[in-house]
Amino acid sequence: MDIKAYTIEELNSLAEDIREKILHTVSKNGGHLSSTMGATDLIIAMHKVFDAKKDPFIFDVSHQAYAHKLLTDRWESFETLRQFGGISGYTKPSESAYDYYVAGHSSTSISLAVGAAKAIALKGEERVPVAFIGDGSMSAGMVYEALNELGDRKYPVVIILNDNEMSIAKPIGAISKLLSQTMAGSFYQKFKGKVEKALEHLPEGATYMAKRFEESFKLITPGILFEEMGIEYIGPVDGHDIERLIETMEIAKELKKPVIIHAQTTKGKGYEIAEGTKEHWHGVSAFDLKTGKAPKKSGAKAATAIFSEALVALADEDEKVVGVTAAMPSGTGMSAVIEKYPERFWDVAIAEQHAVTSMGPLAKEGFKPFCTIYSTFLQRGYDQVIHDICLMDLGVVFAMDRAGIVGEDGETHQGVFDISYLRAIPNMTLLAPYNETTMKQCMRFAKEYAHPCAFRYPRGAFMAEDCDAPEYELGKSHLLQEGEEILFIGYGNGVGRAQKVAEIMDVNVAILDLRFVKPLDREMLIELSKKYHKWFVFSDSVKEGGVGSAILELLSEEKIDNVLLTSFEYDDAFITHGNTKLVEESLGLLPEQLAKKIV
């Protein structure tokens, strides 16, 4: 959609149409709502001022880029948002040439913009990278690593800071508003440029006094941090005033140096029910447009809810139990314990590296930290797990939510690598529950365990029904049922999948709840190899370095050659987005599909 010739009135009307389209689609499909509604005017101004065909548009996380998708030839296909076979909820170059880079995790956009600016400079081209980043992403250290280099090298990059939480700076009355408008204007920017050139020819003392005056002027606004890093700062500006946004972006574009535009927006803009800083409107399931309410869900309790209740119970029993999450208190189920014990449980914002490392000293000082984090986001703190926790053999518990296929969020969020990347670390113990009872037992074991450990559990409910089970013992599995020739080995939610497959089959199979993938129950597996010669592994994880690999290593070490092992873990490919059942069907992992593969 070419909007270069649109009038301000037409652009405002377009913004209303885009919000309406987003609202109707997300109310049916689910998705990210409040932030993308708030970002609509900014994205329209971006497309008006910059050239989306040649200027790299780089969206941080990119969950707020729905308006960008609608402006770039995806109006009709937008109805398929986050659906299996439909368009992604994030930017995806394989979906559109207008999507410069894959995104899904936070705080990468400015580093990407710096890299793009370097490439553009080396190629001698006239293009401007535009990074779009939310204030929440500004808590991660990678942002400041990128700003540090950008401020030093002075590449022409425009950074649009979408401040929808007012967490960076609140305007202080009419004076601040006046100053912000002044600093966003062309007169101030031109005047400042002339003064800077004049100062080059003045004595050192005069230069110092002039700089001091400018800094005192900026102290009333939030720009001094960026200016001190060598980044030109403009704002705060109204992120819903398209005319002013266009003027401001035009100025930034012409400066031909690194510029940050600080725009303040309202989350959920255009949908009154969702407007403001209401966390639950960030990402939503399908809902009724009139009431804003989602249909009531029936069925088994979600694993996250079980974890949440069990963590509160552990914290009630023992004041040494503490914990952390990185910007996902409700998603990880930490909200309840943070509310009850705010002095012992912390949300450190988008700062996974800090979250992991900060738990180390607590373990060293005799506390029991639970580091509660999505499987996919723990990837961002991997070095800290090794260097700051496992190297010192500290008793930090990693509770990994969203293990396995997570559905509509797709490739960037599938929790499939944690077994592989954690199994290689010395001193790390890996275990997993498969229903409510074993989740509570697993957490009790982890609380008493004096070394690093990590357990994983799925988004939504466990596949298995609840049942009685023995308590967890280090490196011990649990044989759930005897069989004839075939052994199903389940790990975590894989136990439930194994049980579903067993119910379909005509033959009687044995089922083992592996419980620990590191250390393995060597004694049990050796004993089972004497009776069962066809083993099938069920785990919601990748094959490479996964559960099947661990068992094959044991069989090789023990020189056991009479076992034929088949793993139903995920193949070596990134897994697409869509309804979890449809994704699993495409991978051939539904119970009825797996039953046909067992011979």
Side-chain angles (χ1 to χ4, degrees):
M1 187 184 297
D2 187 358
I3 62 172
K4 296 294 185 188
Y6 277 37
T7 65
I8 297 301
E9 186 177 339
E10 288 171 330
L11 292 173
N12 283 321
S13 177
L14 176 62
E16 290 182 15
D17 292 343
I18 287 175
R19 285 194 175 95
E20 188 71 15
K21 182 78 168 178
I22 292 171
L23 198 52
H24 275 276
T25 303
V26 175
S27 71
K28 291 188 296 181
N29 297 2
H32 291 94
L33 184 71
S34 58
S35 54
T36 200
M37 294 280 281
T40 296
D41 302 305
L42 281 169
I43 292 171
I44 287 173
M46 279 172 62
H47 278 265
K48 173 75 171 175
V49 173
F50 299 96
D51 187 344
K53 290 183 178 178
K54 68 172 190 174
D55 294 327
F57 281 15
I58 303 168
F59 291 91
D60 206 272
V61 186
S62 77
H63 63 296
Q64 76 286 68
Y66 292 179
H68 168 74
K69 287 178 179 277
L70 289 166
L71 289 169
T72 51
D73 303 331
R74 283 169 277 186
W75 191 277
E76 296 303 322
S77 60
F78 195 72
E79 294 291 333
T80 69
L81 180 74
R82 290 164 47 91
Q83 302 298 291
F84 182 71
I87 66 171
S88 171
Y90 300 94
T91 52
K92 192 173 182 179
S94 61
E95 177 183 293
S96 171
Y98 292 102
D99 291 359
Y100 184 77
Y101 222 85
V102 166
H105 291 190
S106 86
S107 313
T108 62
S109 59
I110 301 177
S111 292
L112 293 171
V114 172
K118 288 176 179 177
I120 290 166
L122 289 169
K123 293 164 79 173
E125 296 176 348
E126 290 289 324
R127 298 157 60 205
V128 183
V130 184
F132 189 105
I133 186 168
D135 60 307
S137 293
M138 297 295 287
S139 60
M142 191 173 174
V143 166
Y144 300 96
E145 294 171 19
L147 286 172
N148 184 51
E149 185 184 14
L150 182 59
D152 179 52
R153 300 192 185 275
K154 305 297 182 187
Y155 293 114
V157 170
V158 175
I159 301 164
I160 297 170
L161 171 55
N162 176 27
D163 179 4
N164 55 26
E165 293 282 359
M166 304 183 89
S167 62
I168 292 175
K170 294 185 180 181
I172 305 169
I175 294 175
S176 177
K177 185 176 182 181
L178 174 62
L179 288 172
S180 298
Q181 290 174 345
T182 302
M183 292 181 75
S186 59
F187 172 79
Y188 174 78
Q189 294 298 326
K190 288 176 182 175
F191 175 74
K192 183 183 176 190
K194 290 178 180 178
V195 169
E196 285 174 347
K197 286 183 180 178
L199 288 176
E200 293 174 6
H201 305 289
L202 290 177
E204 189 175 331
T207 303
Y208 172 77
M209 291 302 293
K211 282 287 184 185
R212 290 289 292 174
F213 173 76
E214 186 195 6
E215 286 173 6
S216 65
F217 183 69
K218 286 187 300 189
L219 276 172
I220 312 175
T221 73
I224 193 162
L225 168 65
F226 303 109
E227 296 267 3
E228 287 298 317
M229 296 185 80
I231 313 292
E232 197 73 32
Y233 172 86
I234 300 176
V237 295
D238 183 351
H240 301 299
D241 185 340
I242 293 178
E243 185 172 13
R244 166 127 339 235
L245 289 171
I246 291 169
E247 292 171 2
T248 304
M249 290 184 196
E250 291 282 10
I251 293 165
K253 183 180 178 181
E254 292 305 314
L255 286 174
K256 300 188 185 305
K257 57 183 176 180
V259 184
I260 188 160
I261 298 171
H262 178 184
Q264 291 182 322
T265 60
T266 300
K267 278 190 170 185
K269 178 73 173 177
Y271 184 50
E272 190 175 347
I273 296 173
E275 284 188 4
T277 56
K278 301 169 183 174
E279 186 189 352
H280 67 277
W281 282 104
H282 171 74
V284 297
S285 56
F287 63 93
D288 182 85
L289 273 173
K290 291 182 180 178
T291 65
K293 294 180 179 179
K296 288 187 177 180
K297 293 181 180 179
S298 57
K301 189 188 299 183
T304 303
I306 298 168
F307 169 81
S308 178
E309 293 170 4
L311 186 60
V312 170
L314 291 176
D316 288 342
E317 295 167 8
D318 188 348
E319 63 182 14
K320 293 290 187 180
V321 174
V322 297
V324 69
T325 187
M328 305 299 286
S330 61
T332 60
M334 283 275 284
S335 293
V337 76
I338 289 173
E339 184 176 344
K340 189 169 187 179
Y341 299 111
E343 73 286 356
R344 288 163 49 197
F345 293 85
W346 306 275
D347 175 8
V348 297
I350 301 173
E352 291 86 358
Q353 294 172 312
H354 165 62
V356 172
T357 297
S358 67
M359 292 299 100
L362 281 155
K364 182 178 171 65
E365 294 285 347
F367 291 88
K368 191 64 193 183
F370 279 74
C371 186
T372 307
I373 196 164
Y374 289 5
S375 166
T376 185
F377 294 148
L378 187 57
Q379 294 164 194
R380 295 161 60 89
Y382 186 58
D383 180 60
Q384 288 67 34
V385 174
I386 297 172
H387 184 271
D388 302 325
I389 306 302
C390 290
L391 192 61
M392 290 184 57
D393 197 19
L394 296 169
V396 175
V397 180
F398 294 95
M400 297 180 296
D401 201 334
R402 301 323 196 252
I405 293 173
V406 299
E408 288 80 2
D409 282 332
E411 293 95 325
T412 57
H413 284 62
Q414 310 290 18
V416 300
F417 303 112
D418 55 89
I419 295 172
S420 302
Y421 69 69
L422 292 175
R423 196 167 70 85
I425 307 174
N427 294 330
M428 175 61 79
T429 292
L430 301 180
L431 63 160
Y434 72 91
N435 60 15
E436 182 167 356
T437 294
T438 57
M439 171 72 101
K440 293 173 181 176
Q441 293 172 336
C442 175
M443 291 175 69
R444 284 196 295 268
F445 172 88
K447 181 204 171 253
E448 299 301 329
Y449 192 57
H451 308 278
C453 69
F455 64 92
R456 68 195 316 260
Y457 47 99
R459 181 182 186 179
F462 287 108
M463 291 186 72
E465 298 292 329
D466 199 25
C467 62
D468 292 333
E471 292 292 337
Y472 275 58
E473 294 180 54
L474 179 63
K476 292 298 181 183
S477 59
H478 177 218
L479 190 62
L480 299 178
Q481 66 182 52
E482 293 275 7
E484 295 167 7
E485 185 185 355
I486 295 172
L487 173 66
F488 285 179
I489 301 173
Y491 182 66
N493 204 37
V495 174
R497 194 178 303 276
Q499 289 175 330
K500 299 288 186 191
V501 175
E503 289 170 6
I504 298 170
M505 296 185 62
D506 295 328
V507 296
N508 186 25
V509 301
I511 301 177
L512 179 72
D513 170 18
L514 191 62
R515 294 197 165 197
F516 290 84
V517 72
K518 185 182 180 184
L520 287 170
D521 189 345
R522 187 171 293 264
E523 183 181 345
M524 173 70 83
L525 291 170
I526 292 171
E527 189 62 31
L528 290 173
S529 71
K530 298 173 183 176
K531 180 177 180 182
Y532 304 101
H533 305 300
K534 291 182 180 180
W535 292 9
F536 295 88
V537 173
F538 299 79
S539 176
D540 298 342
S541 51
V542 294
K543 285 179 182 174
E544 280 71 15
V547 177
S549 290
I551 296 171
L552 283 170
E553 289 163 18
L554 182 147
L555 294 176
S556 176
E557 289 166 7
E558 296 293 334
K559 297 181 171 51
I560 297 171
D561 57 9
N562 64 335
V563 170
L564 179 64
L565 186 144
T566 301
S567 173
F568 292 135
E569 294 169 281
Y570 308 132
D571 289 331
D572 186 22
F574 289 106
I575 300 171
T576 190
H577 67 274
N579 173 273
T580 298
K581 186 174 181 179
L582 293 177
V583 173
E584 289 182 344
E585 183 179 19
S586 74
L587 299 174
L589 294 177
L590 295 181
E592 55 270 27
Q593 293 173 307
L594 293 175
K596 294 175 183 177
K597 298 178 183 180
I598 294 167
V599 291

